[in-house]
Amino acid sequence: MIITIDGPSGTGKSTVAKGIAKQLSYMFFDTGAMYRSFAWLVMKEGLDPKDQNAVEAALLKFQFEMQRDQKQSRIYFVNGEEVTEKIRTQQISLAASQVAVYPKIREAMVKIQRKFGHSVDAVFEGRDMGTVVFPEADLKIFLTAKPEVRAERRYQELKRKFPDVSIHFDEILKEIQERDDTDQTRAVSPLKKAEDAILIDTSDLTAAQVIDKIIRLYKPRQKFPKMKWFYKIVYWLARWFFQCFFRLRIYGIEHFSPGAAVIVANHASFMDPAVLSISCLEEVSFLAKQSLFKVPLLGFIIRKLNSYPVAQGASDAAVFRLMIELLGQGKKLLLFPEGRRSSDGQLLPLQRGLSFIVQKAGCRVIPAYIQGTFAAWPRTRKFPKLFGKITVVFGSSIEYKELEDKTSSRDRITEKTAYSIRRLKEWLERGAIGIPP
Ligand code: DC
């Protein structure tokens, strides 16, 4: 899925686009940085940005590369030289706007941007993302803000980045107006709102408020894979059953998004896999003992419901391989990493295997807390008690990427998941107010 965020400078595009990408675990592309990087090369070569022929010829020498630093922030390279900070000066801002008017330059940049956007989930930030580069984007946002507000933001940003340089607010305001003029009046891909883009004025909003607004717009547009007919029938029958007999309530579904993930929950009853599966918005997969697949009808049904057999005595390595393979196919995998059903309904410590799987598959964890299944069907009872109350709460996902610190991430994933499940339990016990954490 592609989300585009366009608008003039100082509207908070970068902060907002980064925030959204982080929340959704999407890639983030600051396309202004590409124009800036090219402008930096033009200036380094001593060319006049107004000299179209010379600027276009410089394209042949432009090798652009993006990487991530240790904190996972983007860093930019031109012909092998790091330019991340160098491209943020006022001089480069103006030059970028000037070189961006030339059709050949835009053509080259658009080509690179489309290549980056091919088959990824990404947030693209720029001026012509929704109009020219990704006209088919799933969600288009156009940010605006009053020029004075934008100039003030730029002023604060520059003061922070270049504390030794003398900076004047009036100059910045003038420069912003000049750039707006160049960006809006150029012949090719001028800065303008796509017809189907949603306009948000950020003058009186914080970045967090804008991000929140966009996430709310994004949620209903998510595309979940369609369920297969057999799965769908069982899913809706089971949902109806649990809603009628156990007053099933589901919270935190807004945390659920398409793509590979391990859904991790506490485990206190036989009912948990079924209850958790029907609380999800798409098909999920899980592992089951191989012996169950040999039971005539049951074997057929659980296979159709995306169960994968695990042979008795199978090594951890073999089980992990299977899980990583399923996640690699973009599936959602249910896991109960307490290792066994709780005998008293209380949470047990999580086993370390979870970290290994998440790290190898590079996927996210969706923590979930299940309440009420222990009372409905504890280990000690042969049959369940009807007319109980069951609740499932999903928490915000734990991104593998943000925990990619090589030395400690294995333990942190498990710890963070266990902490998250405890928090969901507390949230529910405190009265389920607002969105689950
Ligand atoms: O977003 P920014 O301020 O970093 O962008 C710098 C300049 O690059 C901007 O003045 C216009 C140009 N630009 C563009 O023409 N098209 C884009 N998609 C992104 C930036």
Side-chain angles (χ1 to χ4, degrees), residues 204-434:
D204 303 316
L205 298 174
T206 63
Q209 286 170 320
V210 182
I211 293 170
D212 199 50
K213 252 180 191 254
I214 299 175
I215 296 283
R216 276 171 210 274
L217 292 165
Y218 158 86
K219 288 288 174 189
R221 289 165 205 249
Q222 294 179 102
K223 289 181 201 137
F224 289 100
K226 273 197 179 153
M227 287 181 190
K228 292 190 287 291
W229 68 267
F230 185 84
Y231 193 102
K232 203 170 179 173
I233 291 171
V234 176
Y235 175 93
W236 284 111
L237 279 176
R239 234 176 129 120
W240 172 83
F241 173 82
F242 278 100
Q243 272 162 359
C244 285
F245 293 104
F246 294 98
R247 288 180 287 148
L248 175 67
R249 292 288 308 261
I250 304 164
Y251 293 101
I253 208 67
E254 55 273 61
H255 295 308
F256 208 88
S257 55
V262 190
I263 302 171
V264 176
N266 57 313
H267 193 16
S269 164
F270 264 138
M271 285 173 162
D272 294 333
V275 166
L276 193 56
S277 309
I278 58 162
S279 302
C280 294
L281 295 175
E282 62 177 294
E283 287 192 28
V284 293
S285 305
F286 50 96
L287 307 186
K289 282 188 215 147
Q290 193 164 38
S291 54
L292 292 176
F293 290 79
K294 295 190 180 129
V295 181
L297 186 62
L298 183 70
F300 169 80
I301 293 174
I302 60 173
R303 210 178 276 280
K304 284 274 185 202
L305 298 178
N306 304 334
S307 276
Y308 291 83
V310 175
Q312 206 171 8
S315 67
D316 282 354
V319 177
F320 288 169
R321 251 201 314 277
L322 173 60
M323 291 183 187
I324 293 160
E325 193 188 317
L326 295 172
L327 291 163
Q329 294 165 13
K331 292 190 178 5
K332 291 239 164 41
L333 188 64
L334 296 195
L335 272 191
F336 298 98
E338 289 167 328
R340 63 194 159 90
R341 271 174 292 147
S342 164
S343 54
D344 55 5
Q346 298 301 312
L347 301 181
L348 300 172
L350 303 193
Q351 294 184 350
R352 291 268 177 245
L354 168 68
S355 302
F356 179 75
I357 297 156
V358 168
Q359 199 168 32
K360 286 285 171 206
C363 67
R364 75 210 134 92
V365 174
I366 304 179
Y369 174 65
I370 308 173
Q371 188 192 58
T373 51
F374 181 75
W377 200 358
R379 285 180 77 158
T380 46
R381 279 180 71 102
K382 220 169 175 186
F383 297 104
K385 281 188 267 185
L386 287 183
F387 307 111
K389 185 172 180 227
I390 295 177
T391 309
V392 175
V393 193
F394 292 105
S396 50
S397 57
I398 298 162
E399 303 302 335
Y400 167 70
K401 280 182 224 145
E402 77 192 45
L403 299 172
E404 229 170 337
D405 168 7
K406 301 284 177 279
T407 48
S408 61
S409 56
R410 286 193 173 191
D411 292 346
R412 281 175 55 211
I413 294 169
T414 311
E415 277 163 24
K416 218 175 160 186
T417 307
Y419 173 69
S420 204
I421 296 175
R422 281 199 304 276
R423 281 219 303 170
L424 294 173
K425 179 175 185 277
E426 284 162 18
W427 177 86
L428 195 56
E429 287 168 356
R430 276 204 308 269
I433 299 159

Side-chain angles (χ1 to χ4, degrees), residues 38-89:
F38 178 64
W40 175 84
L41 179 69
V42 167
M43 301 310 278
K44 190 179 178 229
E45 294 282 309
L47 306 173
D48 176 1
K50 292 199 176 122
D51 182 347
Q52 182 169 0
N53 289 336
V55 168
E56 285 179 356
L59 256 187
L60 293 171
K61 297 187 196 158
F62 182 58
Q63 285 273 354
F64 177 73
E65 221 191 304
M66 290 193 299
Q67 286 179 20
R68 282 182 189 276
D69 66 8
Q70 281 174 336
K71 287 189 199 146
Q72 296 303 311
S73 304
R74 280 249 187 261
I75 43 178
Y76 303 100
F77 293 84
V78 175
N79 302 339
E81 182 172 344
E82 209 215 297
V83 297
T84 319
E85 286 300 322
K86 295 176 192 161
I87 59 173
R88 299 292 162 193
T89 64

Side-chain angles (χ1 to χ4, degrees), residues 6-10 13-14 30-36 87-88 92-98 100-101 106 113 125-129 133 154 179-180 182-183 186 189:
D6 288 307
S9 57
K13 277 190 317 263
S14 286
D30 168 4
T31 60
M34 295 181 193
Y35 287 92
R36 285 171 178 271
I87 59 173
R88 299 292 162 193
I92 297 293
S93 297
L94 203 58
S97 183
Q98 287 167 337
V101 301
R106 300 207 69 82
Q113 290 153 10
E125 174 241 305
R127 301 287 190 288
D128 56 346
M129 295 298 109
V133 186
R154 194 55 111 196
R179 273 216 285 157
D180 279 0
T182 320
D183 294 346
R186 68 179 172 226
S189 318

Side-chain angles (χ1 to χ4, degrees), residues 86-124:
K86 295 176 192 161
I87 59 173
R88 299 292 162 193
T89 64
Q90 271 176 283
Q91 188 201 22
I92 297 293
S93 297
L94 203 58
S97 183
Q98 287 167 337
V99 298
V101 301
Y102 304 132
K104 274 204 183 141
I105 309 300
R106 300 207 69 82
E107 229 172 77
M109 299 296 167
V110 168
K111 217 163 154 188
I112 304 175
Q113 290 153 10
R114 287 203 181 125
K115 211 155 117 195
F116 280 134
H118 184 65
S119 69
V120 290
D121 289 323
V123 184
F124 276 84

